[in-house]
Amino acid sequence: MKKVLILGGDGFCGWPSALHLSKNGYDVAIVDNLVRRKTDIELECGSLTPIQSMSRRLSKWQELTGQKIAFHYFDVAENYHRLLTLIAEYKPDSIVHFAEQRAAPYSMKSSWHKRYTVSNNLNATNNLLAAVVESGVNSHIVHLGTTGVYGYGTVQQVIPEGYLSVYTKGQNGDLEEHEILYPAAPGSIYHMTKTQDALCFYYYNKNDKIRITDLHQGVVWGTETEETRMDEALINRFDYDGDYGTVLNRFLMQAAIGHPLTVYGTGGQTRAFIHIQNTVQCVKLAIESPPKHGDKVQIFNQVTETHKVRELAQLVANKSGAEIRFFDNPRTEDAENELIVRNDKFLSLGLNPIHLKDGLLAEVTNIAKKYQHRCDTKSIICTSVWDAKKAVDYTGKKTAEGLQQTYQDSPTGDFTEMA
Amino acid sequence: MKKVLILGGDGFCGWPSALHLSKNGYDVAIVDNLVRRKTDIELECGSLTPIQSMSRRLSKWQELTGQKIAFHYFDVAENYHRLLTLIAEYKPDSIVHFAEQRAAPYSMKSSWHKRYTVSNNLNATNNLLAAVVESGVNSHIVHLGTTGVYGYGTVQQVIPEGYLSVYTKGQNGDLEEHEILYPAAPGSIYHMTKTQDALCFYYYNKNDKIRITDLHQGVVWGTETEETRMDEALINRFDYDGDYGTVLNRFLMQAAIGHPLTVYGTGGQTRAFIHIQNTVQCVKLAIESPPKHGDKVQIFNQVTETHKVRELAQLVANKSGAEIRFFDNPRTEDAENELIVRNDKFLSLGLNPIHLKDGLLAEVTNIAKKYQHRCDTKSIICTSVWDAKKAVDYTGKKTAEGLQQTYQDSPTGDFTEMA
């Protein structure tokens, strides 16, 4: 059996990926420090779905499938030596690296959150690469990046897969062609760390010939996969809060409980999307298509379609009758952008894209309805801001509390009591 | 008086910069955790010159000039809140950021050294930027980068100052011009952190409008400046060891003590150089030419000339009669490269370049001779390697110890006993 080590295997993408690989004949081991569950305590909010403890999850999985998944509880960004010995002893064929703080709004909440995101994400990535080099184990590293590294419309509308062909003028005036890493244009501290990761991959790949695949993933929607659906004890987490909730899931959940759909800014932002079932399939495809020794970093865009945020809101509103409400955008970003993202590589590897369609939208809505008693509506509005002034302008109060207050004081009502 | 905070003000560039600014009418405060002195303990090697304690340095400076320089002993990468309160209270007009691990070979010694360099450098830079944002103080940040961020010959021979004009093919086939950050091509973990810093600057500048100047400096040579020469108690550090010593200073020192000049690889590497006296002048010029609010990150190449390493060795050999000896290159890099670096920006600000010339070369030689009794010749050979295999191939021993052993066993003699 091929061995896969999954760093961050307790998270929203990590957990269903672990099950999908275990189901498909891989020997899987998970590393996680359970920080995402601990952050729920900080944010005073939890998964809408009743996720079970890791030991309950794993014992149920073994009961249902006969497959054993090992779990190692430590911090990849902190416990270097444990990571090194684990890689040296387990000798994984592939290591999937999800062990990063993954929410843009959370990374902007305060200086502490900026600093935590930078320190955690960059040290985790560097620790992993240093450990693979030091161990001498020839593991293929598959990393979850984001389409956000490209920015939105800074160089060209059609986003290639990782690399961009450019021309420069040589000394004699002739044009010379070069292939470069697509110029990075991060939109938050979180996105910044992913662009910095890319340089880390570039360097270790060049110097140490580490085989690396970087997956630039769009916004994930959906919550269940074939494997998590097998038993309620295996259910995946569902985040609906303003920091960790992803936009389409938030709309579906808001519609399910009768809350207005929360659109920040004009909703003219075009983003790339992918269903969680496709995410786990892509991770498996990436593992099975490693670059050859000496190849440069392999970059795949892990997306299936693009939409404007307000079009998604309209789609959900049309189905559900929900009201759409527009809020000041807490982010510093263009109000409107177009976006076309190439995804030829995964298509050529056989990915069957799951597009937005009634059945899967209904599944999310049904989950949201089933667990709506677990929803704390105070967590729905995003209170993280990209610029402290955004929280000050209206009320004179500093910090994000000001922004929250603005919404509550608005003439259209107090959302925190709507549900 | 304009106020300048110097992070890393005890180091090789930081200390003479602090004195130069103090001498020229600035109110200067230094932050340093004295890590460079502590690393001397780890490396079992110290400054060739007898640098004095910070309190002795500062009391002598006050005695000679009447100027008081404040010293704050803490770690910029660790002690965020102290940094924040210092910025909020002192309200510096400029902050010069030297607080990074700055030796490529040191960053490659082991996994620990890779991890320390990444964590220290990236957290220091991010802490500084987060603190400036949180404090609301409108400080201009001047950062010491390196010409190494450009790589050597990857895109074009003439290196512009930070930004590169490129053309891409639009959807209709027409060429569209864009200005992008010069594509990063780091050659060590140390250089990698500087390319990651650049993305950090890009992001905070875009999101928070922080005014930033990034100085891409060449290899520094020389040791004394007008101010450090005023009294022996003010003397600057001089590193001659294989990790921290810079190439020309190492050659001059080796010649002074009758050690063969140590050229790694063919010596065909072309690098950019600058004298330490020009370094401190550039830092002052940068402080006095801040970008305007809303301007993108300002990037200056801080170099005055380029040379091939073997040409420098030949120059020193011709003057001193020293032998040149070639060693296997511990780095993973091109054996030969050409390099032309634009430095128009500092020239237009009035920099008077100090080129390699007899007087200053002789000054370094004299210093090396004067303090040669402090030299430990065991530290001269570089034992850090970019690839563990380089240390294994010949002796079968793993780790850099193997490489050192190779040199000692070589038929040409045991350098550690030559002086």
Side-chain angles (χ1 to χ4, degrees):
Chain A
M1 280 169 90
K2 292 271 191 184
K3 289 182 282 189
V4 183
L5 187 61
I6 301 191
L7 311 179
D10 186 48
F12 175 55
C13 292
W15 172 244
S17 295
L19 296 189
H20 188 64
L21 293 167
S22 176
K23 187 72 185 299
N24 283 276
Y26 287 87
D27 178 9
V28 173
I30 286 174
V31 174
D32 207 296
N33 63 350
L34 306 179
V35 67
R36 186 63 197 82
R37 295 174 190 246
K38 294 173 184 171
T39 303
D40 283 345
I41 297 171
E42 174 203 346
L43 296 178
E44 302 180 359
C45 180
S47 169
L48 186 72
T49 50
I51 55 171
Q52 299 301 301
S53 67
M54 185 55 89
S55 59
R56 172 97 181 98
R57 281 176 156 185
L58 296 181
S59 62
K60 174 57 75 178
W61 182 248
Q62 190 170 3
E63 181 192 320
L64 291 176
T65 67
Q67 299 302 319
K68 194 167 160 56
I69 296 177
F71 171 52
H72 304 277
Y73 173 60
F74 68 87
D75 187 328
V76 172
E78 299 275 351
N79 308 123
Y80 175 77
H81 201 73
R82 182 66 194 98
L83 180 64
L84 173 64
T85 56
L86 181 59
I87 292 170
E89 291 161 9
Y90 184 55
K91 295 185 173 50
D93 298 283
S94 312
I95 303 175
V96 189
H97 174 26
F98 293 112
E100 298 188 278
Q101 195 295 98
R102 61 108 177 141
Y106 186 80
S107 77
M108 301 302 292
K109 281 189 103 64
S110 75
S111 292
W112 185 88
H113 296 84
K114 293 175 188 178
R115 295 172 52 235
Y116 166 70
T117 302
V118 165
S119 191
N120 179 76
N121 291 8
L122 299 180
N123 284 320
T125 297
N126 187 53
N127 279 355
L128 169 59
L129 291 161
V132 169
V133 172
E134 185 170 356
S135 72
V137 176
N138 184 27
S139 306
H140 168 214
I141 294 175
V142 176
H143 170 253
L144 202 77
T146 163
T147 51
V149 298
Y150 300 119
Y152 295 101
T154 50
V155 176
Q156 58 181 33
Q157 270 190 7
V158 181
I159 304 289
E161 304 205 53
Y163 299 94
L164 180 67
S165 263
V166 300
Y167 301 87
T168 58
K169 279 203 176 130
Q171 283 180 284
N172 59 6
D174 291 351
L175 289 180
E176 296 166 359
E177 187 169 3
H178 306 274
E179 188 182 69
I180 63 171
L181 257 185
Y182 195 95
S188 74
I189 292 290
Y190 154 74
H191 291 97
M192 181 185 85
T193 63
K194 295 285 185 171
T195 68
Q196 292 167 307
D197 278 347
L199 294 175
C200 207
F201 295 134
Y202 168 86
Y203 179 69
Y204 278 92
N205 169 263
K206 178 167 72 104
N207 193 68
D208 301 288
K209 309 288 178 252
I210 304 297
R211 294 176 303 140
I212 300 168
T213 299
D214 203 0
L215 306 175
H216 289 335
Q217 183 170 255
V219 181
V220 182
W221 68 283
T223 187
E224 294 278 56
T225 62
E226 286 173 26
E227 291 80 21
T228 65
R229 237 180 253 121
M230 286 168 66
D231 191 285
E232 197 182 14
L234 302 176
I235 200 164
N236 197 18
R237 61 178 301 134
F238 184 115
D239 297 304
Y240 62 93
D241 63 290
D243 279 333
Y244 277 95
T246 55
V247 59
L248 181 53
N249 278 7
R250 280 193 287 111
F251 288 161
L252 291 166
M253 185 276 183
Q254 289 159 1
I257 66 167
H259 189 286
L261 309 185
T262 57
V263 175
Y264 299 104
T266 66
Q269 309 93 327
T270 307
R271 294 293 179 268
F273 291 85
I274 187 168
H275 189 275
I276 186 78
Q277 179 71 52
N278 272 167
T279 290
V280 303
Q281 290 162 342
C282 284
V283 169
K284 177 169 172 288
L285 288 171
I287 286 173
E288 293 169 355
S289 307
K292 288 190 289 293
H293 181 84
D295 283 357
K296 69 181 178 186
V297 176
Q298 171 171 267
I299 302 177
F300 295 159
N301 290 337
Q302 188 160 310
V303 309
T304 53
E305 57 198 313
T306 61
H307 296 281
K308 280 194 188 293
V309 169
R310 66 170 169 256
E311 291 167 2
L312 293 181
Q314 199 58 57
L315 177 74
V316 175
N318 290 348
K319 286 181 190 303
S320 64
E323 178 196 350
I324 297 174
R325 197 161 295 173
F326 291 88
F327 294 82
D328 284 341
N329 192 345
R331 303 189 186 216
T332 303
E333 64 184 1
D334 290 343
E336 306 266 335
N337 73 284
E338 303 302 322
L339 180 68
I340 305 167
V341 184
R342 304 306 306 234
N343 63 347
D344 312 60
K345 292 187 183 173
F346 270 127
L347 295 179
S348 74
L349 292 175
L351 179 69
N352 188 13
I354 296 169
H355 293 295
L356 288 182
K357 55 189 175 221
D358 285 359
L360 286 166
L361 289 168
E363 181 183 74
V364 180
T365 306
N366 290 341
I367 286 198
K369 279 194 176 134
K370 179 171 178 186
Y371 297 110
Q372 65 174 290
H373 59 282
R374 291 171 52 89
C375 171
D376 177 353
T377 54
K378 282 197 304 300
S379 299
I380 288 178
I381 303 295
C382 181
T383 57
S384 302
V385 293
W386 266 237
D387 177 349
K389 284 194 283 297
K390 293 196 178 182
V392 172
D393 283 342
Y394 302 94
T395 65
K397 288 193 191 183
K398 201 156 180 175
T399 81
E401 196 189 341
L403 193 67
Q404 176 71 30
Q405 197 62 32
T406 307
Y407 299 139
Q408 292 185 2
D409 293 346
S410 72
T412 48
D414 180 348
F415 302 128
T416 61
E417 298 184 359
M418 286 200 62
Chain B
M1 280 170 90
K2 291 272 192 182
K3 289 182 283 188
V4 183
L5 188 61
I6 301 190
L7 310 180
D10 186 47
F12 175 55
C13 292
W15 172 244
S17 296
L19 295 189
H20 188 65
L21 293 166
S22 177
K23 188 71 186 301
N24 283 278
Y26 287 86
D27 179 8
V28 173
I30 286 173
V31 174
D32 208 296
N33 63 350
L34 305 179
V35 68
R36 186 62 197 81
R37 295 174 190 247
K38 294 174 184 170
T39 303
D40 284 344
I41 297 171
E42 174 202 347
L43 296 178
E44 302 179 0
C45 180
S47 170
L48 187 72
T49 49
I51 54 171
Q52 300 301 300
S53 68
M54 185 54 93
S55 59
R56 173 95 181 100
R57 281 177 155 184
L58 296 181
S59 62
K60 176 56 75 177
W61 182 248
Q62 189 169 4
E63 182 191 320
L64 292 176
T65 66
Q67 298 301 319
K68 195 167 159 55
I69 295 177
F71 171 51
H72 304 276
Y73 174 60
F74 67 86
D75 187 329
V76 172
E78 297 276 352
N79 308 122
Y80 174 77
H81 200 73
R82 182 65 193 100
L83 179 65
L84 173 64
T85 56
L86 180 59
I87 293 171
E89 290 161 9
Y90 184 55
K91 296 185 174 50
D93 297 285
S94 310
I95 303 175
V96 188
H97 174 25
F98 292 112
E100 297 187 278
Q101 195 295 99
R102 62 106 175 146
Y106 186 81
S107 77
M108 302 302 294
K109 282 189 101 62
S110 75
S111 291
W112 185 89
H113 296 85
K114 294 175 188 177
R115 296 172 51 237
Y116 166 70
T117 302
V118 165
S119 191
N120 179 77
N121 292 7
L122 299 179
N123 284 320
T125 297
N126 187 52
N127 278 356
L128 169 59
L129 291 161
V132 169
V133 171
E134 185 170 355
S135 71
V137 176
N138 184 27
S139 306
H140 169 213
I141 294 175
V142 176
H143 171 254
L144 201 76
T146 164
T147 50
V149 299
Y150 300 118
Y152 295 100
T154 49
V155 176
Q156 59 181 34
Q157 271 191 8
V158 181
I159 305 289
E161 305 205 54
Y163 298 94
L164 179 68
S165 262
V166 300
Y167 301 86
T168 58
K169 278 202 176 130
Q171 283 179 287
N172 58 8
D174 291 349
L175 289 179
E176 297 167 358
E177 187 169 3
H178 307 275
E179 189 181 68
I180 62 171
L181 256 184
Y182 195 95
S188 74
I189 292 290
Y190 154 74
H191 291 98
M192 181 186 86
T193 63
K194 296 284 185 171
T195 68
Q196 292 168 307
D197 278 347
L199 294 175
C200 207
F201 295 134
Y202 168 86
Y203 179 69
Y204 277 93
N205 169 262
K206 179 167 71 105
N207 192 68
D208 301 288
K209 309 288 179 254
I210 303 297
R211 293 177 304 140
I212 300 167
T213 300
D214 204 358
L215 305 176
H216 289 335
Q217 184 171 254
V219 181
V220 182
W221 68 284
T223 186
E224 294 278 56
T225 62
E226 286 172 28
E227 292 80 21
T228 65
R229 239 181 250 120
M230 287 168 64
D231 191 286
E232 199 183 11
L234 302 176
I235 201 164
N236 196 19
R237 61 178 302 135
F238 185 114
D239 297 304
Y240 62 94
D241 64 289
D243 280 333
Y244 277 96
T246 55
V247 60
L248 182 53
N249 278 5
R250 281 193 287 112
F251 288 161
L252 291 166
M253 186 276 183
Q254 290 160 0
I257 66 167
H259 190 286
L261 308 185
T262 56
V263 175
Y264 299 104
T266 66
Q269 309 94 329
T270 307
R271 294 292 180 268
F273 291 86
I274 187 167
H275 189 274
I276 186 80
Q277 179 71 53
N278 272 168
T279 292
V280 303
Q281 290 162 343
C282 285
V283 169
K284 177 167 170 288
L285 288 171
I287 285 173
E288 293 170 355
S289 307
K292 288 191 289 292
H293 181 84
D295 283 357
K296 69 182 177 187
V297 176
Q298 172 171 268
I299 302 177
F300 295 160
N301 289 339
Q302 189 160 311
V303 310
T304 54
E305 57 200 312
T306 60
H307 295 282
K308 279 195 190 293
V309 169
R310 66 169 170 257
E311 291 167 2
L312 293 180
Q314 199 58 58
L315 177 75
V316 175
N318 291 347
K319 284 181 192 303
S320 63
E323 178 197 350
I324 298 174
R325 198 160 294 173
F326 291 87
F327 294 81
D328 284 341
N329 193 345
R331 303 189 186 216
T332 303
E333 64 184 0
D334 289 343
E336 305 267 334
N337 73 283
E338 304 301 321
L339 180 68
I340 304 166
V341 184
R342 304 304 308 235
N343 63 347
D344 311 61
K345 292 188 184 172
F346 269 127
L347 295 180
S348 74
L349 292 175
L351 179 69
N352 189 12
I354 297 169
H355 293 296
L356 288 182
K357 55 187 175 221
D358 285 359
L360 287 165
L361 290 168
E363 182 183 72
V364 179
T365 306
N366 291 341
I367 287 195
K369 280 195 176 136
K370 179 172 180 185
Y371 297 111
Q372 63 174 290
H373 59 282
R374 292 171 52 89
C375 172
D376 178 352
T377 53
K378 283 198 303 300
S379 300
I380 287 178
I381 304 295
C382 182
T383 57
S384 302
V385 292
W386 265 238
D387 178 349
K389 283 194 284 297
K390 293 196 179 183
V392 172
D393 283 343
Y394 303 95
T395 66
K397 290 194 190 180
K398 201 157 179 174
T399 81
E401 197 188 339
L403 192 66
Q404 176 71 30
Q405 198 62 33
T406 308
Y407 298 140
Q408 292 183 3
D409 294 346
S410 72
T412 48
D414 182 349
F415 302 129
T416 62
E417 297 184 357
M418 284 199 63

